[in-house]
């Protein structure tokens, strides 16, 4: 509820503080200003208006509404996912001292500690009180203090974003004249370091630019204490300037010249854009798709439009940032979860204000939520990637599909690029919905890598395996190393070993919270759950029979790294997986070291498979292709093909043809045969036939429903009730109920149902019926505590 003057000032997209209950305050977003009072409850007044102008644009709100409606989630879910957390202010209880209180003898020890702290500080937060007392439950103590009238409390909205202030130094204005300066230098004759600092200041002041305190310290080689002394003597003054956290320095270069095939692809894309808004660029690995993107970006920049460049993995951004910076310098802003909250707020604000440094946004999937106002082009690189789909929490959106809608709302063009397009996108090109441009030559006319399938069943039989390496792979590796070339080895499982098993009774340690065995990490000698992060030290004996004969089964990247150190002791081995890339610059360090040829052999998970460009890699080894093929999912074969072709594409990108060795127990599998000839058309045709036969996308749409609860019987009865209700409406198009491969995660039991939606069936009507069944389900008292998750276009 707002007053007339507030209503006139407020606009859609502004933030306001609202109260919930008696004490809590939250940030809400103005969505509509109207005169219709609610019927079921009494409206409260807003506490305060937090913005002077909207921080969310009209097109953003339209896009959020589409996401909420299409992916069947609430608008609030989208709002929380979209806004950097610094914008989502929440209340913090502030404790204040009552100045009139005198009877300190009434207070017990804990109460006196807090009261004493308030003598030195004007106010304390609950967190600070908790730190003082060294315990979490401090509310009873505060309540007692309030009861004795020693303190009072108030709720205060606090702003989480803090602008970065940089400390600068300037000379006090009293020393403006030459005579004053002469006197100053004479006074400092004995203080040698202080005199050096003043003279150094004048050297730097020649550029007529503000001088940072840090810069003065490093360039003149004086300590911070010397400068502080000069400030105390009123010779220097400190002052602060607000600075953006993200600034790129360096020269910008001319764009690379395109070869004839790239030129043809570029002109085809432009002509396709005349008729169609979405174009798919199907370019084989190392065909130079990035250079084509840069030319398109250049054209859009010339027309003053904003560009969004989406990438599936943060690992990829580290290489592409460097490449694009060389061309476009300071016009690029990066937005992904490894950047700090404050840095993300700055990108948001720069976009809102249409600053030049935010003309090109490079980011992961969450970048589709940013406040674009003049979007001209969206590029979705590696569009087939499942990383574009958000799985948890809601909204479970797909960034590629959301980007297509966003481009339509901005009347912009969208280019999807991939060496292995998703079946859905390629199907849309065949139906004439999207344009299609193909780029079938590698840059510099380098041949596609030679792919060799190694039968490890045969190698095991003939005792030609050394650990997890066949004799053939080891020979190829030694040849590459002798030629001073680099190697990438791919194993899609991190850790040392997926299972630690007792050889006496066969029992493997399980996670107490999930239905999964613990993965052994040798580096820290611990067992770890990759679902809930539970960890414990490696046991010395079996918990079931007491035997100390524990052995590892299976292998991960950590074990491969250790084996390589024994096999190739004179070479540098690197590992790139979730364990080694923690932290903001984790990816950058490893990729940088590999590019600088400080690492000879790099072992990694699927992070390595996506679009990375290393010009000295001549061999790629895939240690076990079978675990990807045997995954219980209708997309398993398509994903296996994508992954293997993408990993293979890292080999031989610069001058000579590369080699790829794929170790498998089943070399005659049709997918592996298609990978060995890089035959996308054959894979597409075969998979499409199966999808039509078994009613799967791209012909049928899927909506997956998941129920979760810590009580198994509740989930089981809930899913059975739901299955009957859905079968009454959707008949044979309901699959399930089923339990997933890992049927309990974080102590929650999981059951799934899938609804298939035939091509002619109305999607909106299907969702309405599902919404109705969901409401009925949740009105049953017994089922109300069960978590009900809807995933539209489940991957």
């Amino acid at each position: 509820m707002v007053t007339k003057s507030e209503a006139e000032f407020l606009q859609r997209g502004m933030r306001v503080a609202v109260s919930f209950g008696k004490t809590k305050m939250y940030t809400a977003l103005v969505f509509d200003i109207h005169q219709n009072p609610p019927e079921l409850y009494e409206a409260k007044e807003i506490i305060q208006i937090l913005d002077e102008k909207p921080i969310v644009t009209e097109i953003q709100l339209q896009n959020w509404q589409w996401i909420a409606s299409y992916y069947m989630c609430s608008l609030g879910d989208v709002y929380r996912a979209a806004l950097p957390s610094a914008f989502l202010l929440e209340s913090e209880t502030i404790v204040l001292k009552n100045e009139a209180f005198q009877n300190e003898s009434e207070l017990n020890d804990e109460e006196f500690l807090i009261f004493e702290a308030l003598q030195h500080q004007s106010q304390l937060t609950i967190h600070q009180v908790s730190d003082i007392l060294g315990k979490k439950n401090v509310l009873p103590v505060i309540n007692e203090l309030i009861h004795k009238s020693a303190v009072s409390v108030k709720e205060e909205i606090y702003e989480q974003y803090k602008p970065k202030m940089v400390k600068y130094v300037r000379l006090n204005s009293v020393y403006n004249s030459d005579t004053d300066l002469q006197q100053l230098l004479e006074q400092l004759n004995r203080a040698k370091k202080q005199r050096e600092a003043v003279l150094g200041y004048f050297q730097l002041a020649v550029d007529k630019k503000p001088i940072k305190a840090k810069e003065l310290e490093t360039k003149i080689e004086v300590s911070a204490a010397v400068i502080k002394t000069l400030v105390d003597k009123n010779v220097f003054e400190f002052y602060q300037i607000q600075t953006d956290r993200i600034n790129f320095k360096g020269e910008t270069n001319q764009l690379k010249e395109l070869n004839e095939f790239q030129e043809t692809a570029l002109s085809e894309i432009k002509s396709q854009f005349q008729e169609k808004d979405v174009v798919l660029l199907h370019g084989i690995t190392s065909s130079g798709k990035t250079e084509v993107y840069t030319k398109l970006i250049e054209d859009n920049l010339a027309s003053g439009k904003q560009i969004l460049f989406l990438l599936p993995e943060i690992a990829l951004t580290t290489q592409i940032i460097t490449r694009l910076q060389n061309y476009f310098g300071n016009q690029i802003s990066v937005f992904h979860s490894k950047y700090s909250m404050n840095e993300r707020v700055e990108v948001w604000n720069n976009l809102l204000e249409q600053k030049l440094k935010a003309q090109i946004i490079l980011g992961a999937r969450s970048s589709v939520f940013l406040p674009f106002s003049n979007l001209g082009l969206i590029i979705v690189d590696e569009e087939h990637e499942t990383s574009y789909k958000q799985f948890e929490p809601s909204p479970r959106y797909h960034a590629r599909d959301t980007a297509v809608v966003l481009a339509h709302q901005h009347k912009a063009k969208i280019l999807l690029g991939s060496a292995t397009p998703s079946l859905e996108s390629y199907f849309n090109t065949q139906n004439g919905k999207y344009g299609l441009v193909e780029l079938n030559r590698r840059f510099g006319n380098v041949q596609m890598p030679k792919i060799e399938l190694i039968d490890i069943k045969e190698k095991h039989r003939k005792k030609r395996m050394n650990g997890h390496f066949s004799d053939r792979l080891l020979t190829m590796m030694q040849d590459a190393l002798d030629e001073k070339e680099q190697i990438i080895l791919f194993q899609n499982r991190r850790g040392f070993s997926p299972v630690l098993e007792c050889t006496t009774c066969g029992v493997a340690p399980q996670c107490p919270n999930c239905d999964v065995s613990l993965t052994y990490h040798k580096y820290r000698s611990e067992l770890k759950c990759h679902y809930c992060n539970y960890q414990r030290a490696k046991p010395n004996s079996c918990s079931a029979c007491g035997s100390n004969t524990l052995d590892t089964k299976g292998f991960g990247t950590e074990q491969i790294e250790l084996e390589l150190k024994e096999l190739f002791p004179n070479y540098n081995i690197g590992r790139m997986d979730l364990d080694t890339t923690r932290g903001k610059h984790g990816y950058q360090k490893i990729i940088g070291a590999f590019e600088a040829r400080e690492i000879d052999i790099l072992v990694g998970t699927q992070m390595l498979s996506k679009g990375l460009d290393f010009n000295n890699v001549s061999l790629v080894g895939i240690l076990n292709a079978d675990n990807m093929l045997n995954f219980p999912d209708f997309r398993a074969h398509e994903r296996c093909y994508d992954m293997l072709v993408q990993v293979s594409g890292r080999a031989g990108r610069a001058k000579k043809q590369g080699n790829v060795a794929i170790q498998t127990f089943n070399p005659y599998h049709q997918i592996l045969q298609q990978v060995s000839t890089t035959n996308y058309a054959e894979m597409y045709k075969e998979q499409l036939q199966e999808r039509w036969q078994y009613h799967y996308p791209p012909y049928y749409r899927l909506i997956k429903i998941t129920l979760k609860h810590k009580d198994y019987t509740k989930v089981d009865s809930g899913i059975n009730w739901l299955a009957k209700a859905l079968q009454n409406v959707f008949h044979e198009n309901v699959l399930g109920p089923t339990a997933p491969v890992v049927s309990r995660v974080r102590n929650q039991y999981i059951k799934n149902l899938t609804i298939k939606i035939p091509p002619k069936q109305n999607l909106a009507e299907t969702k309405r019926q599902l919404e109705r069944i969901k409401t009925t389900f949740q009105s049953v008292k017994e089922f109300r505590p069960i978590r009900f998750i809807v995933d539209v276009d489940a991957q």
Side-chain angles (χ1 to χ4, degrees):
M1 195 161 73
V2 291
T3 63
K4 189 169 186 294
S5 59
E6 284 173 334
E8 284 164 4
F9 176 76
L10 281 170
Q11 296 173 50
R12 264 163 65 95
M14 282 183 175
R15 292 172 308 151
V16 291
V18 294
S19 70
F20 272 76
K22 287 181 181 173
T23 54
K24 283 286 168 201
M25 271 186 251
Y26 292 95
T27 305
L29 197 73
V30 176
F31 187 71
D32 197 10
I33 300 155
H34 58 82
Q35 292 276 39
N36 314 322
E39 291 171 11
L40 301 173
Y41 59 91
E42 197 177 322
K44 285 186 179 181
E45 287 191 3
I46 63 166
I47 308 292
Q48 67 190 96
I49 298 169
L50 299 171
D51 298 310
E52 287 180 14
K53 55 186 183 188
I55 63 156
V56 173
T57 66
E58 277 296 328
I59 293 186
Q60 262 181 302
L61 286 172
Q62 288 170 27
N63 188 252
W64 294 3
Q65 279 177 282
W66 176 83
I67 292 171
S69 145
Y70 186 82
Y71 291 105
M72 296 182 74
C73 62
S74 70
L75 207 50
D77 285 338
V78 187
Y79 163 60
R80 279 201 83 85
L83 254 70
S85 56
F87 285 138
L88 300 169
L89 315 177
E90 285 176 13
S91 58
E92 176 77 90
T93 305
I94 301 291
V95 182
L96 302 162
K97 185 177 75 167
N98 179 4
E99 298 295 343
F101 182 76
Q102 298 296 328
N103 306 332
E104 289 180 18
S105 55
E106 287 181 24
L107 306 178
N108 66 28
D109 289 353
E110 285 187 332
E111 291 162 8
F112 183 78
L113 268 176
I114 296 167
F115 191 75
E116 190 183 34
L118 284 167
Q119 312 278 12
H120 305 292
Q121 278 173 273
S122 58
Q123 55 186 41
L124 292 171
T125 65
I126 291 289
H127 293 300
Q128 287 168 321
V129 172
S130 187
D131 289 343
I132 291 164
L133 297 180
K135 64 180 191 179
K136 283 185 180 174
N137 188 15
V138 295
L139 291 178
V141 183
I142 293 166
N143 282 336
E144 195 54 39
L145 280 165
I146 295 165
H147 181 66
K148 290 173 180 173
S149 304
V151 300
S152 60
V153 294
K154 71 167 183 178
E155 289 289 317
E156 180 172 287
I157 287 278
Y158 67 98
E159 186 78 57
Q160 288 181 314
Y161 166 62
K162 290 183 177 63
K164 184 181 181 183
M165 305 304 285
V166 176
K167 195 193 281 181
Y168 285 82
V169 173
R170 65 183 164 216
L171 194 66
N172 196 318
S173 54
V174 298
Y175 298 108
N176 276 347
S177 70
D178 290 349
T179 51
D180 292 334
L181 274 173
Q182 198 59 44
Q183 281 175 354
L184 171 65
L185 291 169
E186 281 168 15
Q187 283 168 23
L188 296 175
N189 257 339
R190 288 188 177 180
K192 194 178 161 203
K193 281 287 180 192
Q194 291 176 27
R195 187 185 160 91
E196 272 177 32
V198 174
L199 289 168
Y201 173 83
F202 286 118
Q203 284 172 14
L204 293 173
V206 173
D207 293 341
K208 293 195 167 54
K209 285 181 184 171
I211 297 164
K212 290 180 188 169
K214 270 269 177 272
E215 191 182 359
L216 188 61
E217 286 169 34
T218 51
K219 292 210 172 161
I220 313 304
E221 293 179 3
V222 292
S223 69
V226 173
I227 296 168
K228 176 79 171 67
T229 308
L230 286 165
V231 171
D232 293 342
K233 286 183 175 180
N234 289 328
V235 176
F236 282 156
E237 292 175 340
F238 282 145
Y239 66 105
Q240 292 191 317
I241 297 178
Q242 186 175 329
T243 315
D244 273 3
R245 286 173 169 81
I246 303 165
N247 275 311
F248 294 129
K249 297 171 186 69
E251 296 294 309
T252 55
N253 304 317
Q254 288 288 310
L255 263 62
K256 276 188 190 171
E257 287 299 311
L258 300 186
N259 64 28
E260 55 179 307
F261 306 106
Q262 290 170 313
E263 281 289 0
T264 310
L266 182 64
S267 58
E268 277 181 35
I269 290 167
K270 286 179 180 173
S271 68
Q272 293 265 18
F273 274 152
Q274 304 289 325
E275 300 160 32
K276 294 188 167 73
D277 290 336
V278 189
V279 173
L280 173 68
L281 173 60
H282 178 199
I284 59 170
T285 53
S286 191
S287 56
K289 293 186 287 295
T290 308
E291 307 308 330
V292 177
Y293 300 154
T294 53
K295 286 285 186 191
L296 279 171
I297 290 171
E298 188 182 44
D299 291 351
N300 268 272
L301 282 179
S303 61
K305 298 274 193 185
Q306 294 168 328
I307 295 108
L308 171 60
F309 195 132
L310 282 175
L311 291 156
E313 280 274 357
I314 298 167
L316 252 180
T317 59
T318 53
Q319 259 203 343
I320 296 224
I321 290 165
T322 317
R323 285 168 78 174
L324 292 188
Q325 269 176 295
N326 283 338
Y327 304 139
F328 306 113
N330 226 3
Q331 291 169 297
I332 297 172
S333 284
V334 184
F335 190 88
H336 59 63
S337 59
K338 283 275 198 271
Y339 274 76
S340 75
M341 180 183 68
N342 291 332
E343 285 166 334
R344 282 181 277 168
V345 168
E346 275 164 19
V347 174
W348 187 286
N349 289 336
N350 289 341
L351 256 176
L352 262 182
E353 291 159 29
Q354 297 192 38
K355 285 193 180 170
L356 194 65
K357 63 166 62 178
Q359 264 206 285
I360 305 168
I361 297 290
L362 190 69
R365 61 174 179 250
S366 55
S367 312
V368 293
F369 293 128
L370 287 167
F372 297 100
S373 48
N374 187 19
L375 196 56
L377 173 70
I378 301 178
I379 294 167
V380 184
D381 195 20
E382 310 296 345
E383 65 82 34
H384 64 281
E385 269 300 326
T386 44
S387 315
Y388 281 127
K389 173 78 173 171
Q390 163 100 349
F391 291 102
E392 198 65 40
S394 182
R396 293 172 181 81
Y397 67 101
H398 197 298
R400 178 197 62 213
D401 302 344
T402 306
V404 170
V405 175
L406 185 67
H408 176 71
Q409 287 167 330
H410 277 273
K411 299 186 171 52
K413 302 294 179 191
I414 179 163
L415 180 69
L416 312 176
S418 177
T420 52
S422 64
L423 253 67
E424 288 86 342
S425 295
Y426 202 76
F427 182 72
N428 282 335
T429 65
Q430 303 303 302
N431 284 354
K433 210 170 166 186
Y434 296 175
L436 175 65
V437 175
E438 303 206 89
L439 190 52
N440 294 325
R441 289 287 188 96
R442 280 190 140 190
F443 193 79
N445 274 338
V446 179
Q447 281 185 292
M448 288 294 280
K450 200 161 83 207
I451 297 174
E452 191 176 320
L453 297 172
I454 299 167
D455 186 348
I456 47 176
K457 186 161 64 173
E458 187 70 9
K459 298 283 181 193
H460 273 292
R461 195 174 62 80
K462 291 181 175 173
K463 309 246 181 323
R464 287 188 182 165
M465 294 292 288
N466 189 338
H468 293 99
F469 295 88
S470 60
D471 56 350
R472 174 71 187 131
L473 178 56
L474 287 172
T475 308
M476 291 168 87
M477 286 173 74
Q478 193 58 62
D479 291 348
L481 292 168
D482 292 344
E483 294 283 328
K484 303 267 187 298
E485 291 160 348
Q486 289 167 294
I487 299 165
I488 285 177
L489 292 178
F490 173 77
Q491 167 58 11
N492 207 11
R493 193 186 285 277
R494 64 191 169 102
F496 181 84
S497 161
V499 183
L500 189 72
E501 192 180 80
C502 171
T503 51
T504 309
C505 69
V507 167
Q510 299 287 308
C511 172
N513 312 317
C514 314
D515 268 346
V516 68
S517 57
L518 294 167
T519 302
Y520 173 44
H521 287 246
K522 191 167 188 171
Y523 167 63
R524 288 187 164 177
S525 191
E526 67 179 13
L527 297 174
K528 197 170 180 183
C529 173
H530 288 175
Y531 287 84
C532 71
N533 283 330
Y534 166 85
Q535 54 204 59
R536 55 178 272 210
K538 182 196 171 200
N540 294 322
S541 58
C542 172
S543 57
C545 70
S547 163
N548 55 6
T549 55
L550 296 174
D551 193 17
T552 57
K553 291 273 184 286
F555 61 103
T557 47
E558 195 186 354
Q559 189 169 348
I560 297 303
E561 183 190 20
L562 291 170
E563 278 187 26
L564 284 169
K565 281 176 179 169
E566 285 179 18
L567 291 165
F568 300 100
N570 304 325
Y571 295 95
N572 293 324
I573 318 292
R575 172 160 62 95
M576 185 165 153
D577 55 29
L578 205 61
D579 299 318
T580 60
T581 54
R582 305 207 182 276
K584 185 172 166 183
H585 301 293
Y587 299 100
Q588 228 158 336
K589 284 174 190 159
I590 296 167
I591 289 170
F594 196 60
E595 279 180 326
R597 304 188 185 180
E598 290 162 17
I599 295 173
D600 300 303
I601 306 170
L602 184 59
V603 187
T605 55
Q606 93 281 352
M607 287 177 185
L608 281 175
S609 68
K610 297 157 191 166
L612 292 168
D613 186 14
F614 304 114
N615 57 15
N616 192 40
V617 173
S618 68
L619 172 67
V620 167
I622 292 148
L623 293 165
N624 185 353
D626 303 298
N627 56 8
M628 287 181 284
L629 278 173
N630 305 328
F631 202 72
D633 180 5
F634 72 92
R635 282 194 176 92
H637 286 181
E638 180 196 352
R639 288 206 183 126
C640 179
Y641 177 89
D642 292 351
M643 186 81 78
L644 295 179
V645 168
Q646 291 284 352
V647 178
S648 305
R650 303 311 111 217
R653 294 173 73 93
K655 296 181 184 71
K656 67 174 203 179
Q657 186 181 21
N659 289 307
V660 178
I662 301 176
Q663 295 191 156
T664 170
F665 285 97
N666 189 2
Y668 300 105
H669 195 290
Q670 90 262 22
I671 285 289
L672 297 179
Q673 291 295 323
Q674 286 156 7
V675 168
S676 66
T677 54
T678 322
N679 194 337
Y680 179 83
E682 194 182 311
M683 185 277 297
Y684 170 76
K685 197 171 141 194
E686 202 169 282
Q687 291 302 310
L688 210 62
Q689 223 168 343
E690 280 187 21
R691 303 279 178 93
W692 173 248
Q693 193 178 346
Y694 297 110
H695 298 175
Y696 278 111
Y699 298 105
Y700 280 57
R701 286 172 183 269
L702 297 184
I703 297 180
K704 183 171 152 195
I705 296 161
T706 304
L707 298 188
K708 287 184 179 181
H709 195 265
K710 59 179 183 289
D711 182 345
Y712 177 80
T713 49
K714 252 198 178 84
V715 176
D716 197 46
S717 58
I719 203 84
N720 290 328
W721 182 96
L722 195 60
K724 287 192 182 92
L726 290 169
Q727 279 157 2
N728 287 340
V729 179
F730 302 114
H731 311 296
E732 74 281 359
N733 286 325
V734 178
L735 282 187
T738 58
V741 181
V742 179
S743 59
R744 183 173 62 104
V745 173
R746 292 193 168 97
N747 272 325
Q748 303 260 318
Y749 289 94
I750 306 167
K751 289 275 180 143
N752 294 331
L753 276 169
T754 304
I755 303 168
K756 291 180 175 179
I757 304 164
K760 297 273 164 58
Q761 192 170 307
N762 184 319
L763 185 63
E765 183 51 38
T766 303
K767 286 178 183 171
R768 265 195 297 277
Q769 288 174 315
L770 177 56
E771 206 61 77
R772 203 165 55 243
I773 292 169
K774 181 184 173 182
T775 309
T776 314
F777 177 85
Q778 289 175 331
S779 63
V780 178
K781 189 184 172 188
E782 188 195 340
F783 300 150
R784 207 170 295 145
I786 299 175
R787 198 162 158 230
F788 193 114
I789 298 165
V790 179
D791 188 1
V792 179
D793 293 344
Q795 288 291 304

